[in-house]
Amino acid sequence: MKKQASLFAAFLRREPVLCASFVLAATAALIVRPKAALYVQAIDFRTIAILFSLMLVIKAFQSQNFLDYAADRLSRLCKSRRSLYIMMAAIVFFSSMLVTNDVALLTFVPISILIFKSLNFPSERLIVLETLAANLGSAATPMGNPQNLYLFSRYNFEAKEFFFLTARIAIPSLLALLALALFFTKKDSAKPDTIDPKLFHSKGVYVKINFKTFLYAANFALCLLAVFHALPFWAMLLFTIAIIGICDFRLFKKADYSLLLTFAFFFIFTKTISTLPEFSAFIQKALSNRLSTYIAGIAASQVISNVPAALLLSAFAKDGNALLLSVNVGGLGTLIASMASVISFKLYSASEEGKSKGSGGYFSAFTLWNFIFLALLGLLVYLSIK
């Protein structure tokens, strides 16, 4: 009995959002008691299929060292600590647009920690900068993060309209990240700033290019076509399953099934609870205008993270523009506002530097700069759509 309890506690710590989504869906089902058909109708299978396919394709490219190779090649160009800060932040910012913010951080934070350890530089500030870059860069594209992929489909955005909206986050945030990188790397006579390129990855990183590479590239192209409604999602899904099955069946084990289940549970919860007239009327009234929708998206993201906030509020919010921008800006702020932020926190805490210094300094720096960015970008983005 104790063993089962400890296993359950460990699962709860590992998957708190999944557990919360299940509890919400189960509670709503017990209260409303809907017909069985509603559960199937509630789930947005198109979003889940595209998200699943993108997960597999990204894992496929990771298995061929594409991101590691890019980071290795680019980092060798850096001659100073400042140029390394700017280069790594830029890599994370732009790569997160294609491979999602969590994958960008899982890939580049360990590389950054390794580089800075070899240079005898503290990596704390760089990881904070990269986390901001991942959350802000991923806001620019539909495939940058799960909530964008869902909202793109939910509100039937045109590609031009979507990118015009998200540019209001991406452009000023890129400038703000550059300013922060310059601030973090102010000249300090007590600390060396020049870098010996020979210290970078002496063994080198090599990319694997073979017939699988071209199949994965074709698969990624089909995923993009499905995202932009140029290809039926079921055709894309069948192609993905076939390609991954042929090329590397083990990749199926690496998909984030807990995230897919979280989406399914939240779909059921929001659909079920929206059938209650009183609750639906109350939420719709609370989200009756652009400002209230924008504030609600940011506030909800701080407490339950931006993906669940997008799923929950989209069932009631009519202003898709405000909701899209709010949950992306809302990924800043608290540590749990974006699950990608939790990833980088865990990676830093588990590093040699994090263990020796403790994670308190990182958490303080993360919170300070995230709320500064949230306040500045939050106001700037709202004024741009008002």
Side-chain angles (χ1 to χ4, degrees):
M1 191 67 178
K2 288 183 178 179
K3 185 177 180 181
Q4 285 87 352
S6 62
L7 288 173
F8 177 75
F11 179 78
L12 189 62
R13 288 193 298 271
R14 189 172 66 253
E15 300 290 352
V17 179
L18 172 61
C19 295
S21 66
F22 172 75
V23 170
L24 288 172
T27 303
L30 289 172
I31 294 173
V32 179
R33 297 183 181 276
K35 295 180 180 179
L38 183 137
Y39 297 118
V40 178
Q41 296 170 4
I43 299 174
D44 186 341
F45 289 102
R46 180 180 183 276
T47 297
I48 290 179
I50 295 175
L51 186 58
F52 176 64
S53 297
L54 283 170
M55 285 177 182
L56 291 176
V57 175
I58 290 166
K59 291 295 182 183
F61 278 119
Q62 277 187 302
S63 70
Q64 296 197 305
N65 295 334
F66 273 88
L67 296 179
D68 294 45
Y69 179 80
D72 180 72
R73 293 293 99 186
L74 291 170
S75 62
R76 291 173 187 268
L77 301 175
C78 299
K79 306 298 183 185
S80 67
R81 186 168 56 100
R82 171 165 288 179
S83 63
L84 185 57
Y85 262 74
I86 294 172
M87 179 68 76
M88 293 307 298
I91 291 172
V92 173
F93 183 85
F94 289 107
S95 66
S96 67
M97 296 180 183
L98 295 176
V99 301
T100 73
N101 50 0
D102 55 346
V103 171
L105 291 172
L106 280 168
T107 302
F108 296 120
V109 166
I111 292 173
S112 299
I113 291 173
L114 179 63
I115 290 173
F116 270 52
K117 180 183 177 183
S118 66
L119 297 172
N120 199 27
F121 289 155
S123 62
E124 180 183 287
R125 285 185 165 187
L126 177 61
I127 308 309
V128 170
L129 182 67
E130 288 180 340
T131 305
L132 286 166
N135 286 325
L136 293 168
S138 64
T141 64
M143 52 281 188
N145 50 52
Q147 75 267 13
N148 277 9
L149 187 62
Y150 166 66
L151 293 175
F152 185 86
S153 176
R154 170 71 175 80
Y155 290 99
N156 295 312
F157 281 108
E158 295 290 335
K160 181 180 179 181
E161 177 190 13
F162 181 92
F163 288 119
F164 182 72
L165 278 170
T166 56
R168 304 176 190 200
I169 297 176
I171 294 174
S173 64
L174 186 58
L175 297 174
L177 288 167
L178 175 59
L180 186 58
L182 296 176
F183 175 78
F184 279 167
T185 55
K186 290 186 299 183
K187 289 290 180 76
D188 186 346
S189 58
K191 296 179 181 178
D193 193 60
T194 56
I195 291 175
D196 181 0
K198 294 180 181 178
L199 291 174
F200 287 128
H201 306 296
S202 57
K203 294 183 180 180
V205 177
Y206 300 96
V207 66
K208 303 172 186 176
I209 298 180
N210 48 38
F211 80 96
K212 295 180 183 180
T213 308
F214 300 101
L215 292 176
Y216 293 153
N219 200 165
F220 185 68
L222 291 180
C223 288
L224 295 183
L225 290 175
V227 168
F228 294 108
H229 303 280
L231 181 73
F233 77 87
W234 55 265
M236 174 271 307
L237 178 62
L238 290 175
F239 186 85
T240 300
I241 292 172
I243 291 301
I244 300 302
I246 292 170
C247 294
D248 191 348
F249 191 82
R250 294 169 298 177
L251 292 173
F252 284 112
K253 296 180 180 180
K254 298 184 178 181
D256 189 351
Y257 294 102
S258 65
L259 179 61
L260 300 178
L261 282 173
T262 298
F263 264 72
F265 289 141
F266 267 110
F267 283 139
I268 292 171
F269 168 70
T270 54
K271 182 70 173 179
T272 304
I273 207 71
S274 66
T275 61
L276 294 175
E278 298 83 0
F279 181 82
S280 181
F282 171 76
I283 296 296
Q284 287 177 356
K285 186 176 180 180
L287 304 177
S288 59
N289 58 64
R290 175 156 291 180
L291 177 60
S292 62
T293 300
Y294 187 74
I295 292 175
I298 292 176
S301 297
Q302 303 307 301
V303 180
I304 61 174
S305 88
N306 52 5
V307 174
L311 295 175
L312 176 62
L313 298 179
S314 65
F316 310 99
K318 294 180 180 179
D319 193 334
N321 292 5
L323 183 59
L324 172 68
L325 293 174
S326 70
V327 293
N328 278 292
V329 173
L332 304 170
T334 64
L335 185 64
I336 63 169
S338 169
M339 287 297 105
S341 300
V342 178
I343 289 172
S344 57
F345 175 74
K346 288 181 177 179
L347 289 172
Y348 177 79
S349 299
S351 69
E352 187 176 311
E353 179 185 326
K355 290 178 180 177
S356 63
K357 293 177 60 177
S359 56
Y362 174 90
F363 181 78
S364 298
F366 171 90
T367 303
L368 172 64
W369 290 108
N370 263 264
F371 274 102
I372 289 174
F373 269 60
L374 176 60
L376 294 176
L377 284 174
L379 179 59
L380 183 62
V381 169
Y382 177 73
L383 291 176
S384 72
I385 62 170
K386 189 174 179 180

